Amino acid sequence: MNETEQTYHIPVLLEESIDGMNIQPGGIYVDMTFGGGGHSKEILRRMDKDSRLFSFDQDEDAERNIVNDERFTFVRSNFRYLHNFLRYYGVEKVDAILADLGVSSHHFDDSERGFSFRFDGNLDMRMNKRAGITAADIVNTYEEERLADLFYLYGELKNSRKLAATLVKARSSKKIVTIGDFLDIVKPLYGREREKKELAKVFQALRIEVNQEMEALKEMLYAATEALKPGGRLSVITYHSLEDRIVKNVMKTGNAEGKSVQDFYGNVQSPFRLINNKVIVPTEEEIIRNPRSRSAKLRIAEKK
């Protein structure tokens, strides 16, 4: 792996997630989250000449990492549109799907993208810079109750109501445009010892809302369930409890809410069989090598 690739994104749980895909000769595979291309390159390395790989990413920066390989097709789109693009390419069913739901290190380290409170810059946070509302749009226009709800649901912040009220009061006298503007308002709400952890949750909540991450994840998982052949594998890496819960529910029950449907005999009807009953986490060595992998969880399931 070259240096520029490393700075873009070090692939997390690389061996474990791709082992979980059970790559076979002549298979059709999908990497839902191309990013720096680390997972895709390993999938290609394990594929034979008759296999195909489709890799999705809505971020134009990811295109710089495109692989020159005739077996590879890059799809610049949100992974929620998996079904549409497979149909466009004439693909009926696939053998395995991988999704690494982490935000690339590149995004956190690029001050212009507005993902991190370590830099100043525009309060943006869009994965797809061509479309959608920015984090600044949200903090300047959402009603107080809606702001409080998103900070509570997506950031699991106990002071979500106070945070929302503080933002609404501040924006009445001056528009919130930059990360610096935003931090000046919210930092006083947190003590120095908790500041970093709480700000990370605040920024996570805004990023999820900006990119409609939970809705997109549900749509992708349902599309993946439909697209997989019987015996096909779904390998998903999550980084926080909200998305992990959705993935776990879909794998166990076939729906994001986790509502189990039982047959006449009381057996739970699920489209999947779990490959790992216990979630797979990074080794201590991987966490030392890549601290951002600390919260990663891998779940693997096989289509029945």
Side-chain angles (χ1 to χ4, degrees):
M1 185 185 291
N2 64 42
E3 210 167 283
T4 54
E5 214 176 293
Q6 272 197 328
T7 55
Y8 191 100
H9 187 62
I10 303 167
V12 173
L13 291 163
L14 181 65
E15 296 294 325
E16 297 92 334
S17 60
I18 294 168
D19 284 349
M21 293 176 76
N22 192 29
I23 291 170
Q24 301 293 325
I28 300 175
Y29 303 101
V30 182
D31 179 356
M32 293 292 203
T33 45
F34 179 69
H39 286 101
S40 280
K41 283 172 187 168
E42 180 61 20
I43 294 166
L44 285 164
R45 194 184 69 76
R46 298 191 191 192
M47 279 169 31
D48 71 349
K49 63 180 177 59
D50 299 317
S51 298
R52 292 174 76 187
L53 171 64
F54 295 89
S55 293
F56 283 68
D57 209 297
Q58 62 185 332
D59 182 11
E60 66 186 32
D61 290 353
E63 291 193 56
R64 297 175 199 163
N65 306 310
I66 284 177
V67 183
N68 183 18
D69 189 311
E70 60 184 16
R71 302 169 299 168
F72 173 80
T73 302
F74 180 78
V75 182
R76 185 168 172 203
S77 174
N78 189 301
F79 59 31
R80 72 199 306 172
Y81 303 117
L82 170 70
H83 176 73
N84 301 16
F85 280 94
L86 289 181
R87 196 168 54 185
Y88 174 76
Y89 286 107
V91 176
E92 285 287 317
K93 297 285 181 182
V94 302
D95 294 276
I97 294 171
L98 169 75
D100 174 359
L101 303 178
V103 178
S104 289
S105 307
H106 161 77
H107 287 132
F108 285 120
D109 295 336
D110 183 350
S111 59
E112 291 177 22
R113 302 301 293 271
F115 283 91
S116 174
F117 51 83
R118 292 183 292 125
F119 309 105
D120 199 7
N122 289 328
L123 193 61
D124 193 317
M125 300 197 194
R126 288 173 300 168
M127 295 283 188
N128 179 359
K129 291 189 283 187
R130 300 177 300 178
I133 60 170
T134 66
D137 294 330
I138 287 167
V139 298
N140 284 294
T141 64
Y142 275 27
E143 291 175 3
E144 187 176 318
E145 190 175 349
R146 192 175 177 191
L147 275 174
D149 285 348
L150 85 87
F151 286 125
Y152 182 75
L153 289 170
Y154 297 155
E156 298 177 295
L157 288 147
K158 293 187 176 116
N159 72 334
S160 59
R161 295 204 174 282
K162 188 177 181 184
L163 176 57
T166 305
L167 285 166
V168 169
K169 186 180 177 186
R171 77 190 188 194
S172 64
S173 54
K174 184 192 170 202
K175 193 175 180 185
I176 305 161
V177 178
T178 66
I179 294 167
D181 296 340
F182 185 71
L183 290 177
D184 288 344
I185 298 159
V186 302
K187 263 189 174 182
L189 298 176
Y190 303 106
R192 288 295 294 272
E193 70 285 348
R194 283 169 52 232
E195 188 180 272
K196 273 190 180 175
K197 200 168 184 181
E198 296 300 307
L199 285 175
K201 291 179 182 178
V202 172
F203 273 63
Q204 172 184 292
L206 281 173
R207 190 199 78 226
I208 288 171
E209 179 71 8
V210 166
N211 298 290
Q212 296 186 301
E213 290 180 28
M214 295 302 115
E215 294 85 354
L217 174 59
K218 289 173 193 174
E219 287 179 34
M220 180 273 280
L221 290 169
Y222 291 145
T225 305
E226 285 296 309
L228 284 165
K229 294 175 182 173
R233 294 285 186 88
L234 179 60
S235 183
V236 185
I237 305 168
T238 65
Y239 293 82
H240 56 80
S241 58
L242 297 168
E243 60 191 16
D244 185 55
R245 195 176 305 129
I246 291 170
V247 172
K248 181 170 74 173
N249 286 344
V250 169
M251 287 183 174
K252 284 191 170 177
T253 66
N255 61 74
E257 295 73 36
K259 291 175 186 166
S260 57
V261 178
Q262 297 181 343
D263 64 15
F264 180 77
Y265 300 101
N267 301 310
V268 174
Q269 297 289 90
S270 169
F272 291 107
R273 177 179 70 84
L274 299 182
I275 296 300
N276 59 318
N277 285 311
K278 192 179 176 193
V279 73
I280 297 167
V281 295
T283 60
E284 283 182 32
E285 291 82 359
E286 178 166 6
I287 293 168
I288 291 165
R289 199 170 64 246
N290 180 13
R292 283 175 175 159
S293 70
R294 187 179 291 108
S295 56
K297 290 179 178 177
L298 169 64
R299 295 183 185 276
I300 306 160
E302 185 174 280
K303 181 82 176 285
K304 287 178 180 173

